[in-house]
Amino acid sequence: MSANLTPRAKFATTLLRTAAALSRATGRGDGSVIGGRVGLIVEPRLLELLAEGRHVVLISGTNGKTTTTRFTTAAIEAIGKVATNSFGANMPTGHTTALAKAPKAEYAALECDEHYLGQLLDAASPKVVALLNLSRDQLDRAMEVTALAAKWRQTLQASAAQTTVVANADDPLIVWAASVCQRVVWVAAGQSWTADSAICPNCGSHLDRFGEFWRCTNCGLNRPSPQWSVAQQGEAVVGPDGRRYELNLQLPGRVNRANAATALAIASLFGVDPAQAAPRLSEVASVAGRYAKVEREGRHLRLLLAKNPAGWLESFDMIDPNPPVVLSLNAREVDGFDTSWIYDVDFTSLAGRKVVVTGDRRTDLAVRLEVDGVDFLVVDDIRAAIAAVPPGPVEVVANYTAFQDIRAEFNRVN
């Protein structure tokens, strides 16, 4: 761990904590980014030095990183203290801050932005890397997903002998990227969005799908047999020995049961008994505002984050069938300015219910709903949206900055 830091690294850590505290005190944020930035300016190797001697897992993918990291942290905490970037600051500045805040933690569970996986592999020397999924995201500034899978594959090949990978057997891009590794634990985590994996990433031929199974008839790439899976009946995870581990999650949907399965697989590699870890996952009620429940003027809102086509489809699977739905869409820098991806989302499941649309790009979203034959009401902001629905439960689905605006309206609810 970080007990033997150099004087320079200790000074950098002190400045990091001071900058983070000032950021929180002035209401500018939780300090994860600015703190890490200050620390790394003073000591460029600070992340590496703070990670030294710890048992680290990196968790990456397009969707589910923050929730899976939170589940993994809860599971590993059964055996010891865990350093983690719990608010989703998933670039090196955030990782550095997370490690600095928990200098005595033997373990670290770090959510990692897809584009920084290689850098973190070098700096943090993780024991485990978890790969969740890959799909299109932020089209105007993010790498095309097959190219990103190729980058991951090359990166993992360089560390294939040192790292154990926990990978989603249902995502062909993930399987192709992880297959270069010597030790892979496969999880049947599911794949609701398949449009980005219609062709084989290895040879470009068409992929055939038969229920959960998929294969390339040309080169032989196919779905590996998973060691961990979500039970077909009930809410449980099935381990490598066939044993069921019952879940009682507060977070909704099959996707979160899959996130829980991945977390249990990761924790088991750190020596955590899944039977001991599984009950701890039920203590997770929300993750950086995701799934939080808020009451305002007699309306009981549940907040769901959806940043891309796969995320929106998963959110529609989670929402209850009857309550009104508020949809909020922005297109700021961290969202990506291109909103054309909303035409990849099927909104027809919302037909027949009360739908209210808001956000910076509410008119774009309104046109999309019109195309799918969904009736809607356009309003200026979340306050107007609340006023537009009757008292009772309300489902709120928003992309990244729209979600943060809504959290701010409710005083950064967690």
Side-chain angles (χ1 to χ4, degrees), residues 73-94:
T73 300
I76 298 177
E77 281 177 340
I79 59 172
K81 185 173 176 57
V82 182
T84 186
N85 50 337
S86 56
F87 291 103
N90 57 21
M91 299 180 189
T93 51

Side-chain angles (χ1 to χ4, degrees), residues 194-240:
T194 60
D196 292 314
S197 54
I199 63 172
C200 175
N202 189 55
C203 71
S205 298
H206 180 73
L207 286 178
D208 287 339
R209 291 181 180 269
F210 312 92
E212 293 182 339
F213 186 75
W214 57 265
R215 70 177 181 186
C216 175
T217 55
N218 182 53
C219 72
L221 184 72
N222 62 76
R223 180 184 189 260
S225 298
Q227 290 101 325
W228 293 82
S229 61
V230 177
Q232 296 296 321
Q233 300 293 328
E235 295 197 2
V237 170
V238 180

Side-chain angles (χ1 to χ4, degrees), residues 237-374:
V237 170
V238 180
D241 58 358
R243 182 177 174 185
R244 286 174 59 100
Y245 300 99
E246 297 296 331
L247 302 174
N248 185 26
L249 301 181
Q250 296 189 57
L251 306 190
R254 186 198 181 281
V255 65
N256 280 316
R257 294 195 291 277
N259 291 337
T262 302
L264 292 181
I266 295 167
S268 70
L269 295 172
F270 288 88
V272 182
D273 181 353
Q276 184 182 9
R280 301 180 66 89
L281 306 189
S282 66
E283 299 171 9
V284 179
S286 69
V287 182
R290 298 159 174 85
Y291 317 107
K293 296 180 180 179
V294 181
E295 183 174 356
R296 177 68 64 90
E297 299 175 7
R299 282 75 169 175
H300 304 277
L301 290 77
R302 180 168 59 171
L303 310 183
L304 301 176
L305 174 68
K307 300 178 291 184
N308 47 49
W312 281 76
L313 290 179
E314 289 166 356
S315 293
F316 294 160
D317 181 58
M318 294 178 199
I319 63 177
D320 292 334
N322 297 316
V325 179
V326 175
L327 306 178
S328 188
L329 179 69
N330 287 352
R332 302 173 191 169
E333 182 176 2
V334 297
D335 304 304
F337 297 119
D338 182 358
T339 61
S340 64
W341 59 267
I342 62 177
Y343 285 86
D344 294 325
V345 181
D346 182 357
F347 289 92
T348 57
S349 64
L350 302 180
R353 63 198 295 170
K354 176 81 171 183
V355 177
V356 182
V357 178
T358 186
D360 297 348
R361 302 298 286 269
R362 52 192 177 274
T363 53
D364 291 5
L365 191 51
V367 172
R368 177 68 187 97
L369 293 174
E370 183 77 24
V371 170
D372 268 0
V374 177

